[in-house]
């Protein structure tokens, strides 16, 4: 009876070992079919950041506060005011160092709709330290410049204005010039836009 009991124990032990091996084998077999792996792919988005006179135009597109007209010295006109024969300029510095794509830059300078000094004209402009370029249309100036990759950087544009009062000007006579001193408005609009170049 003792031998029979020992044989039964051995069989139970063998059955348990077999069961464990079978469960382990089943787990390994099924693991081949339920294994998984995760991954994610990220792209770096091209930067498109423009600053005009140190102002981020994406954050604030109105850069009127950072465009300051400068009146040239004139022995016959008080500093800080514009009058017939006065000359002035303003600068726009465009920083595109944080732009990762080729683009076209368009700058348009026109008389403001509220401007009443029709003899206020654009006489020319400079890009960086380049030569003065005179304009053919003193009412509106449009510049368009394409930039390829690697050309991004900082460019300064200087625009020159004048209250034209020479003998050939026919728009305003002396009486009309005088009236502008009462409630006249001398103003220009500047619009700058940037367009990504198509492939």
């Amino acid at each position: 009876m003792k031998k029979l009991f020992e044989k039964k124990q051995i069989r139970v032990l063998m059955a348990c070992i077999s069961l464990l091996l079978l469960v382990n084998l089943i787990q390994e077999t099924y693991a081949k079919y339920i294994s998984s792996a995760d991954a994610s792919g990220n792209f770096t988005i091209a930067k498109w950041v423009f600053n005009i006179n140190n102002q981020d135009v994406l954050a604030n597109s109105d850069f009127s506060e950072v465009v300051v007209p400068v009146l040239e010295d004139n022995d016959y006109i008080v500093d800080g005011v514009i009058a017939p024969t006065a000359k002035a300029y303003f600068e726009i510095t465009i920083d595109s160092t944080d732009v990762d794509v080729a683009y076209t830059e368009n700058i348009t300078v026109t008389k403001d709709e509220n401007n009443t000094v029709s003899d206020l004209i654009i006489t020319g402009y400079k890009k960086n330290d380049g030569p003065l370029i005179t304009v053919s249309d003193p009412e509106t100036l449009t510049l368009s410049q394409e930039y390829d990759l690697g050309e991004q950087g900082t460019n300064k544009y200087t625009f020159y204005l004048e209250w034209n009062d020479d003998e050939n000007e026919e728009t305003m006579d002396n009486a009309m010039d005088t009236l502008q001193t009462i409630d006249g408005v001398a103003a220009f609009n500047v619009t700058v836009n940037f367009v990504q170049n198509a492939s």
Side-chain angles (χ1 to χ4, degrees):
M1 177 94 168
K2 190 176 176 184
K3 280 189 176 188
L4 185 60
F5 181 71
E6 285 177 5
K7 280 186 178 182
K8 208 174 200 188
Q9 278 185 330
I10 291 174
R11 284 184 188 162
V12 170
L13 182 62
M14 292 298 283
C16 286
I17 291 171
S18 296
L19 183 61
L20 286 172
L21 288 173
L22 183 62
V23 167
N24 189 38
L25 183 62
I26 289 171
Q27 282 181 342
E28 286 181 7
T29 301
Y30 280 108
K32 292 177 185 176
Y33 299 103
I34 62 171
S35 294
S36 65
D38 292 321
S40 62
N42 294 318
F43 293 96
T44 301
I45 298 173
K47 290 182 285 185
W48 181 258
V49 178
F50 292 93
N51 288 293
I52 296 179
N53 294 4
N54 296 316
Q55 177 179 305
D56 181 349
V57 294
L58 295 180
N60 184 4
S61 63
D62 182 359
F63 58 97
S64 303
E65 297 297 317
V66 295
V67 176
V68 181
V70 177
L71 289 159
E72 295 181 7
D73 290 338
N74 186 317
D75 293 338
Y76 304 99
I77 302 172
V78 173
D79 290 344
V81 298
I82 192 163
T85 72
K87 295 181 180 181
Y89 68 89
F90 63 89
E91 295 176 343
I92 295 177
T93 301
I94 299 173
D95 181 357
S96 63
T97 52
D98 282 334
V99 177
D100 290 338
V101 297
Y103 70 94
T104 299
E105 168 185 283
N106 298 296
I107 305 171
T108 303
V109 181
T110 57
K111 288 182 183 175
D112 187 87
E113 62 183 22
N114 297 318
N115 180 71
T116 59
V117 183
S118 56
D119 285 345
L120 189 63
I121 60 170
I122 307 163
T123 57
Y125 71 94
K126 285 184 184 178
K127 180 179 176 184
N128 297 320
D129 295 323
L132 177 66
I133 299 168
T134 56
V135 298
S136 56
D137 181 1
E139 304 292 317
T140 300
L141 172 62
T142 300
L143 304 177
S144 185
Q145 176 71 53
E146 272 192 24
Y147 290 97
D148 292 326
L149 288 176
E151 292 184 332
Q152 284 76 348
T154 301
N155 290 296
K156 180 175 77 173
Y157 297 89
T158 306
F159 298 92
Y160 296 90
L161 311 172
E162 180 181 342
W163 186 326
N164 185 21
D165 196 45
D166 63 27
E167 294 176 2
N168 299 323
E169 100 29 58
E170 299 174 7
T171 310
M172 295 173 64
D173 59 19
N174 289 339
M176 293 176 72
D177 286 342
T178 304
L179 285 174
Q180 294 307 309
T181 64
I182 299 169
D183 59 0
V185 175
F188 270 83
N189 275 337
V190 182
T191 303
V192 182
N193 65 49
F194 306 98
V195 180
Q196 181 182 346
N197 292 348
S199 56

